[in-house]
C-alpha cells in the first residue's frame, strides 16, 4: 500500500510541474511578442506627439471703382462655429451639445427638412421604442441597415412631431449645421451672432467642446443696389463643384464666389487662411508639453474696377426717373430700360444700369443691371451703320450712290417700306440721317442677287444666294460684336439669337435690325467699334489687381495691370468708316435725333432705332398679341475725338397712338451724356447707401 500511494503522489507532482511549464512558456511567449513585435507601438504610446491643424478663413479682397472709392468691402462679424476633432461623429454627443447651445443662441428654422425633424425624434427614442417602430421580426427581413433606418423614419408618428417645441426646432437647426462640418475644420453654426449671444457663449466655452466664436467677415456694399448684381455673391461651395475646388486647396466648408465678378476673380479675391497648429507631446500617457503655432492669414487681393460709381448712380437715377415719368401704361407688359456707357478706346465699362418693373408682381428693387448682358432684343435701325459698311465692303453699293426710297413689293413678301411712305432718292449719308429702311433692304437684296425690277416681279434671288447673303451679313456684323461674344470679363453673358427662317423677306428685316437679337452690351460694343475707327475693344470691368498694403497708410502694390485689348479690326476700308461716321453725325445734327441733340456742346454722333414687336399677353383663351416697339439709341461723343460710347434700349413700349411715349431712349441718352460731361468739370463723389 505504501508503494501505491507514493506512485499516485509522484504522478500529481509531474502533472503540476507540466502545467507550470506551460504557463511559464506562455508567459515567455507573450513577453516576447510584447517586447519584439509590439514594442515599438507601446513605446510610441508612452512617448507620442499629436499635431492638430485648423484653418480660419481670411477676408476677401476689396473692390474699388476707377477713382479709388471702395464699392465692396468686408464687414467684421462674429460667427459661432463647431470643430469636430475626430474623423468619426459621435451623434449623441453632438446632439447633447446642440441642446446645450440652444438656450444661448436664436436660430432660424426655415431650412429644416422633414427628414431633419424625423431623425431628431428618432434619436430621442430608447431601443425598445425603436423596436415598436420596426419589430425584431421585421428587421430580419432586411439585410441593409439603411433600409431599416429609412423605415423607422417613415413610421415616426405625426403626433410625435407635433409635440416638438420651438426649442426642439432650434436644436435641430444647430445639430443640422454641426453635421455639415468636417474634421478639424470650423463649421459655421450661425453667422453674425449678436453681442449678447457672444457674451453668453463665451462664458460657457469651457464645457462646450469644439464650440468657438470666430472673427468672420461678410460682404458690405457701400452703395446699396448700385451695380450690386455685377459684383456677384458668395456662398458655400455648390455640390457639383466640390471636386473642382478641393483640387485647388479649398475645404468643403469654404465660401466661394458663385456669380459674376466674385466668381470670375475668385482666385484673386480669396484670402490666405490663418493656420493654427496645436502640438501635444506625451510621455507615459501624460502630457509633458503643449504648444500652438500660428501662421497669420492674409486678406485677398483687391480689384480696381473700370466703373465710375458716381456716374453709375446718376445713370440709375435717370433710368428710374424716366421710367416713372412714362408710367406703366406706356408699356405692353413689363416696364424696363437698359443703358451701357463705355470708353470706346479702352473698352472700360464706365456705367451699366438696368431698370425692370414686372407687370404681374411687385418687387422690392427695380435693379436689373444684369439684363445688359443677359437679355437680347431686336434693336431696330441702330444697326444700320453696320448694314451700310457691309454693303460698301461687299461692293453692292458705293459711297454717294443714290437709291430710290419707295415701297418694295416682291412676290410672296409683305410690302417693305421706310417709316414714311417715301423719302425719294437718298444716298448713304441721307439714308443714315433719315433712317431709310429701303436703302438697307436694297443692300441685302443685292447681296442675295436680287435686282428689283418693279412691283410683284421676281428679282432673281434663290435659296443658295439668300443663304450666302445671310452668312456674309452675319459674319460682317459679328466683327462689330453683334451676335458674337463680347469678351467681357464675366463668367456669363448672352450672345443673342438668330432668326430661324432664312428667306428673302427676313433677310431684308435683318438689315434693319428686326430679325436677329442682340444684348445692350453688344450694341454698345458695336457703336464703340465704329467710334474707334474700326477697332473692336474687349469690354472690361477690372483694370488692376492690387495686393493689400501690409501697414495702414502704405500704398498697395499693383500685382497685375490689364491693358486694353483689341479683339479685332473690322475688315472695312478706312474711307468707308469715315463716311459712315459722317452719316452718324448727321443723325444728331439734322436727322432723326436732331431735335434732342442738335444744340448740345459735346458734338455727338449716333443712330436711332425703333423695332416693331408683337408681345403675347394674357393666359389661356384670353392670350393675345399686342403690337408695340423697342426704342433704341446708340452713339458716341465727341464726334471728332470719342471718349464715351453709349447704348440705350427701352423694350416693348406701346405704340404712340395707344398710350406709348415717344423718345424715351433719346431722353435717357441725352441726360446720361449731360451727366458724363458735367462730372468732367467737377465731382462730389458717389452717395454712400449701405444696405
Amino acid at each position: 500500500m505504501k508503494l501505491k500511494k507514493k506512485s499516485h503522489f509522484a504522478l500529481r507532482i509531474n502533472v503540476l510541474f507540466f502545467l507550470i511549464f506551460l504557463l511559464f512558456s506562455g508567459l515567455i511567449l507573450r513577453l516576447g511578442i510584447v517586447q519584439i513585435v509590439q514594442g515599438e507601438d507601446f513605446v510610441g504610446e508612452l512617448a507620442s506627439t499629436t499635431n492638430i491643424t485648423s484653418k480660419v478663413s481670411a477676408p476677401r479682397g476689396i473692390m474699388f471703382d476707377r477713382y479709388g472709392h471702395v464699392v465692396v468691402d468686408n464687414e467684421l462679424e462674429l460667427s459661432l462655429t463647431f470643430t469636430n476633432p475626430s474623423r468619426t461623429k459621435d451623434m449623441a454627443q453632438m446632439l447633447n451639445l446642440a441642446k446645450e447651445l440652444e438656450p444661448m443662441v436664436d436660430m432660424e428654422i426655415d431650412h429644416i427638412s422633414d427628414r431633419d425633424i424625423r431623425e431628431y425624434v428618432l434619436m430621442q427614442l430608447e431601443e425598445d421604442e425603436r423596436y415598436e417602430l420596426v419589430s425584431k421580426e421585421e428587421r430580419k427581413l432586411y439585410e441593409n441597415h439603411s433600409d431599416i433606418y429609412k423605415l423607422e423614419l417613415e413610421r415616426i408618428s405625426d403626433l410625435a412631431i407635433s409635440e416638438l417645441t420651438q426649442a426642439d426646432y432650434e436644436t435641430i437647426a444647430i445639430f443640422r449645421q454641426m453635421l455639415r462640418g468636417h474634421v478639424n475644420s470650423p463649421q459655421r453654426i450661425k453667422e453674425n451672432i449678436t453681442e449678447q449671444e457672444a457674451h453668453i457663449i463665451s462664458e460657457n466655452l469651457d464645457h462646450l467642446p469644439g464650440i468657438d466664436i470666430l472673427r468672420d467677415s461678410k460682404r458690405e456694399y457701400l452703395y446699396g443696389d448700385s451695380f450690386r448684381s455685377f459684383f456677384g455673391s458668395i456662398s458655400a461651395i455648390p455640390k457639383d463643384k466640390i471636386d473642382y475646388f478641393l483640387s485647388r486647396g479649398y475645404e468643403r466648408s469654404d465660401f466661394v464666389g458663385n456669380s459674376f465678378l466674385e466668381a470670375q476673380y475668385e482666385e484673386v479675391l480669396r484670402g490666405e487662411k490663418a493656420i493654427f497648429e496645436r502640438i501635444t507631446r506625451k510621455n507615459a500617457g501624460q502630457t509633458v508639453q503643449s504648444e500652438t503655432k500660428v501662421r497669420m492669414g492674409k486678406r485677398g487681393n483687391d480689384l480696381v474696377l473700370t466703373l465710375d460709381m458716381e456716374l453709375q448712380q446718376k445713370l440709375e437715377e435717370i433710368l428710374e426717373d424716366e421710367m416713372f415719368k412714362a408710367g406703366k401704361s406706356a408699356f405692353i407688359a413689363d416696364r424696363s430700360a437698359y443703358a451701357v456707357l463705355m470708353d470706346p478706346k479702352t473698352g472700360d465699362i464706365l456705367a451699366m444700369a438696368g431698370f425692370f418693373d414686372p407687370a404681374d408682381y411687385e418687387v422690392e428693387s427695380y435693379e436689373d443691371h444684369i439684363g445688359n448682358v443677359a437679355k437680347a432684343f431686336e434693336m431696330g435701325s441702330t444697326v444700320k451703320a453696320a448694314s451700310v459698311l457691309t454693303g460698301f465692303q461687299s461692293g453692292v453699293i458705293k459711297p454717294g450712290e443714290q437709291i430710290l426710297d419707295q415701297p418694295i413689293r416682291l412676290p410672296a413678301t409683305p410690302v417693305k417700306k421706310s417709316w414714311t411712305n417715301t423719302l425719294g432718292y437718298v444716298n448713304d449719308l441721307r439714308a443714315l440721317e433719315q433712317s431709310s429702311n429701303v436703302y438697307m433692304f436694297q443692300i441685302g437684296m443685292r447681296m442675295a442677287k436680287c435686282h428689283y425690277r418693279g412691283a410683284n416681279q421676281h428679282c432673281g434671288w434663290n435659296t443658295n444666294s439668300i443663304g450666302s447673303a445671310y452668312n456674309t451679313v452675319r459674319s460682317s456684323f459679328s466683327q462689330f460684336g453683334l451676335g458674337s461674344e463680347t469678351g467681357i470679363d464675366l463668367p456669363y453673358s448672352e450672345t443673342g439669337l438668330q432668326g430661324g427662317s432664312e428667306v428673302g423677306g427676313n433677310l431684308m428685316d435683318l438689315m434693319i435690325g428686326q430679325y436677329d437679337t442682340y444684348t445692350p452690351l453688344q450694341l454698345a460694343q458695336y457703336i464703340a467699334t465704329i467710334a474707334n475707327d474700326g477697332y473692336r475693344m474687349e469690354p472690361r470691368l477690372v483694370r488692376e489687381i492690387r495686393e493689400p498694403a501690409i501697414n495702414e497708410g502704405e500704398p498697395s502694390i499693383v500685382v497685375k495691370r490689364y491693358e486694353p485689348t483689341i479683339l479685332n479690326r473690322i475688315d472695312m476700308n478706312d474711307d468707308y468708316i469715315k463716311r459712315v461716321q459722317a452719316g452718324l453725325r448727321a443723325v444728331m445734327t439734322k436727322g432723326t435725333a436732331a431735335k434732342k441733340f442738335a444744340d448740345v456742346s459735346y458734338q455727338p454722333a449716333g443712330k436711332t432705332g425703333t423695332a416693331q414687336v408683337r408681345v403675347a399677353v394674357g393666359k389661356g383663351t384670353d392670350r393675345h398679341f399686342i403690337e408695340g416697339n423697342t426704342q433704341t439709341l446708340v452713339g458716341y461723343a465727341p464726334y471728332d475725338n470719342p471718349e464715351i460710347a453709349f447704348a440705350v434700349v427701352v423694350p416693348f413700349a406701346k405704340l404712340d397712338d395707344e398710350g406709348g411715349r415717344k423718345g424715351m431712349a433719346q431722353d435717357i441718352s441725352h441726360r446720361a451724356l449731360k451727366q458724363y460731361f458735367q462730372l468732367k468739370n467737377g465731382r462730389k463723389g458717389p452717395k454712400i447707401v449701405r444696405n
Side-chain angles (χ1 to χ4, degrees):
M1 288 295 294
K2 292 181 180 179
L3 290 173
K4 187 175 181 180
K5 289 181 178 179
K6 184 177 181 181
S7 175
H8 182 68
F9 178 75
L11 179 61
R12 289 183 175 181
I13 292 295
N14 290 334
V15 171
L16 180 60
F17 276 119
F18 181 71
L19 291 173
I20 293 172
F21 172 76
L22 290 177
L23 290 172
F24 272 103
S25 298
L27 181 60
I28 292 170
L29 179 62
R30 180 60 182 162
L31 289 173
I33 292 173
V34 169
Q35 184 171 354
I36 298 171
V37 179
Q38 299 178 326
E40 292 185 5
D41 293 339
F42 284 106
V43 169
E45 287 187 8
L46 290 173
S48 64
T49 300
T50 303
N51 286 41
I52 297 178
T53 302
S54 60
K55 300 178 181 180
V56 179
S57 297
R60 294 173 71 82
I62 293 173
M63 298 186 199
F64 299 86
D65 82 342
R66 66 189 299 115
Y67 294 106
H69 302 111
V70 176
V71 292
V72 181
D73 204 348
N74 296 304
E75 183 180 4
L76 292 178
E77 65 179 16
L78 298 178
S79 291
L80 175 64
T81 66
F82 170 70
T83 304
N84 184 12
S86 173
R87 295 190 180 277
T88 60
K89 294 181 178 179
D90 188 329
M91 307 289 278
Q93 184 179 3
M94 291 171 64
L95 183 58
N96 289 333
L97 189 57
K99 289 180 178 179
E100 286 194 62
L101 275 174
E102 183 276 322
M104 305 178 192
V105 60
D106 290 327
M107 295 291 294
E108 293 184 1
I109 61 175
D110 297 341
H111 301 296
I112 296 174
S113 68
D114 180 67
R115 184 183 178 91
D116 294 330
I117 296 169
R118 291 179 179 275
E119 286 183 336
Y120 174 76
V121 174
L122 190 60
M123 290 184 68
Q124 313 300 311
L125 300 182
E126 300 293 339
E127 185 176 10
D128 57 341
E129 292 176 309
R130 296 183 69 160
Y131 282 133
E132 290 179 8
L133 295 175
V134 181
S135 66
K136 292 181 180 180
E137 288 72 20
E138 276 188 288
R139 293 171 188 267
K140 293 177 182 178
L141 301 176
Y142 295 91
E143 294 182 0
N144 194 330
H145 179 72
S146 63
D147 292 333
I148 299 174
Y149 184 73
K150 183 179 179 181
L151 189 59
E152 287 179 323
L153 292 177
E154 291 175 355
R155 292 185 177 177
I156 290 173
S157 68
D158 292 339
L159 177 61
I161 294 175
S162 67
E163 292 176 347
L164 295 178
T165 65
Q166 178 70 18
D168 287 317
Y169 282 108
E170 294 197 30
T171 300
I172 294 170
I174 295 171
F175 184 58
R176 179 176 181 268
Q177 292 300 109
M178 293 171 69
L179 288 176
R180 292 185 171 189
H182 300 275
V183 61
N184 290 326
S185 179
Q187 168 65 25
R188 295 174 182 85
I189 296 175
K190 181 182 178 182
E191 300 171 40
N192 196 23
I193 61 175
T194 66
E195 291 185 12
Q196 183 178 3
E197 288 172 333
H199 180 71
I200 295 172
I201 294 167
S202 297
E203 291 180 342
N204 293 276
L205 283 177
D206 57 337
H207 62 269
L208 297 172
I211 297 299
D212 203 355
I213 296 175
L214 295 182
R215 291 175 63 85
D216 213 338
S217 64
K218 68 176 181 180
R219 282 313 215 185
E220 181 185 20
Y221 305 93
L222 282 75
Y223 302 101
D225 287 336
S226 288
F227 212 69
R228 180 166 177 174
S229 50
F230 277 118
F231 294 140
S233 59
I234 57 175
S235 68
I237 299 174
K239 290 182 180 179
D240 60 338
K241 295 183 178 180
I242 282 288
D243 292 340
Y244 171 84
F245 282 103
L246 290 180
S247 67
R248 284 158 177 76
Y250 288 76
E251 296 183 16
R252 293 177 184 271
S253 59
D254 286 345
F255 280 14
V256 298
N258 65 8
S259 64
F260 295 96
L261 288 175
E262 292 280 13
Q264 182 75 16
Y265 291 94
E266 167 61 28
E267 295 293 335
V268 173
L269 293 167
R270 67 179 293 203
E272 186 177 318
K273 292 184 176 183
I275 298 179
F276 296 84
E277 184 178 14
R278 188 174 300 161
I279 304 172
T280 304
R281 294 181 178 86
K282 293 184 178 181
N283 191 7
Q286 300 294 320
T287 300
V288 296
Q289 185 179 3
S290 180
E291 62 177 306
T292 300
K293 293 183 179 180
V294 180
R295 191 182 79 186
M296 298 303 295
K298 180 183 176 184
R299 196 184 82 212
N301 286 339
D302 301 331
L303 299 181
V304 178
L305 308 182
T306 62
L307 177 70
D308 178 347
M309 180 51 79
E310 190 170 359
L311 181 61
Q312 174 72 23
Q313 287 184 327
K314 297 292 185 183
L315 183 60
E316 291 172 9
E317 290 173 5
I318 291 168
L319 288 183
E320 185 170 322
D321 185 45
E322 291 297 329
M323 289 298 95
F324 280 121
K325 280 183 183 178
K328 288 188 175 184
S329 61
F331 293 83
I332 298 173
D334 304 327
R335 175 172 52 169
S336 60
Y338 302 92
V340 180
L341 307 180
M342 65 185 295
D343 184 334
K345 296 179 180 178
T346 64
D348 286 1
I349 300 296
L350 305 177
M352 188 157 51
F355 176 99
F356 181 73
D357 181 18
D360 53 357
Y361 60 93
E362 296 294 327
V363 293
E364 293 183 3
S365 171
Y366 298 112
E367 176 267 323
D368 186 27
H369 309 322
I370 298 301
N372 285 289
V373 299
K375 294 181 178 179
F377 310 96
E378 293 175 6
M379 296 301 189
S381 298
T382 49
V383 307
K384 287 178 178 176
S387 298
V388 172
L389 283 169
T390 300
F392 286 161
Q393 195 63 24
S394 63
V396 299
I397 58 168
K398 295 179 180 179
E401 181 178 346
Q402 292 193 335
I403 295 175
L404 178 60
D405 184 307
Q406 64 178 5
I408 297 175
R409 294 177 172 86
L410 293 171
T413 302
V415 176
K416 299 289 187 180
K417 63 179 184 177
S418 294
W419 57 274
T420 186
N421 197 49
T422 178
L423 290 170
Y425 280 97
V426 294
N427 63 12
D428 50 305
L429 296 180
R430 177 83 172 158
L432 289 171
E433 174 194 311
Q434 295 300 320
S435 199
S436 168
N437 288 343
V438 172
Y439 199 94
M440 310 306 153
F441 293 153
Q442 285 281 7
I443 294 173
M445 292 162 61
R446 293 180 184 185
M447 293 180 69
K449 312 299 183 186
C450 171
H451 301 283
Y452 187 59
R453 299 181 178 91
N456 299 314
Q457 296 187 39
H458 291 285
C459 65
W461 57 13
N462 56 45
T463 301
N464 291 334
S465 65
I466 291 172
S468 176
Y470 269 102
N471 291 336
T472 301
V473 172
R474 284 172 173 158
S475 176
S476 176
F477 279 21
S478 69
Q479 295 182 62
F480 299 89
L482 295 173
S484 60
E485 295 282 354
T486 62
I488 191 169
D489 48 343
L490 291 173
Y492 166 80
S493 62
E494 273 288 344
T495 56
L497 295 174
Q498 294 183 353
S501 179
E502 294 186 351
V503 297
N506 291 338
L507 173 64
M508 297 166 74
D509 290 337
L510 176 64
M511 304 305 296
I512 62 170
Q514 296 205 179
Y515 194 53
D516 289 357
T517 65
Y518 314 110
T519 66
L521 178 61
Q522 287 177 318
L523 201 63
Q525 187 182 43
Y526 142 73
I527 197 64
T529 301
I530 295 175
N532 198 33
D533 297 329
Y535 290 94
R536 182 166 74 110
M537 305 304 295
E538 182 179 75
R540 60 179 188 171
L541 289 168
V542 175
R543 300 173 68 181
E544 292 178 348
I545 297 173
R546 289 178 172 267
E547 187 176 282
I550 298 175
N551 299 314
E552 188 175 349
E554 293 181 356
S556 56
I557 301 170
V558 177
V559 176
K560 184 174 183 178
R561 179 175 286 112
Y562 292 97
E563 298 298 332
T565 301
I566 299 173
L567 293 177
N568 60 275
R569 204 291 187 171
I570 60 174
D571 186 19
M572 309 285 173
N573 184 292
D574 285 344
D575 291 337
Y576 295 161
I577 297 174
K578 294 296 183 185
R579 181 79 177 178
V580 167
Q581 288 173 343
L584 295 177
R585 176 64 179 142
V587 170
M588 299 299 218
T589 56
K590 53 186 177 179
T592 53
K595 187 175 181 180
K596 182 67 64 175
F597 292 93
D599 297 328
V600 296
S601 61
Y602 48 79
Q603 298 184 312
K607 184 69 191 77
T608 57
T610 305
Q612 297 176 359
V613 296
R614 295 178 74 238
V615 181
V617 297
K619 297 180 181 179
T621 57
D622 188 42
R623 186 172 177 80
H624 59 286
F625 288 87
I626 296 179
E627 303 286 339
N629 57 57
T630 292
Q631 301 178 19
T632 55
L633 181 66
V634 297
Y636 54 91
Y639 161 69
D640 56 350
N641 185 25
E643 58 186 73
I644 183 171
F646 65 91
V648 175
V649 181
V650 183
F652 311 140
K654 287 182 180 178
L655 298 176
D656 297 341
D657 57 359
E658 294 181 5
R661 178 172 173 243
K662 283 185 178 181
M664 288 184 285
Q666 291 192 36
D667 290 339
I668 292 169
S669 302
H670 180 264
R671 292 180 61 183
L673 289 176
K674 181 179 179 181
Q675 285 294 337
Y676 171 79
F677 286 103
Q678 281 183 347
L679 288 175
K680 287 186 66 178
N681 296 324
R683 292 178 165 273
K684 297 180 180 179
K687 301 174 184 176
I688 294 179
V689 186
R690 285 184 171 88
N691 276 357

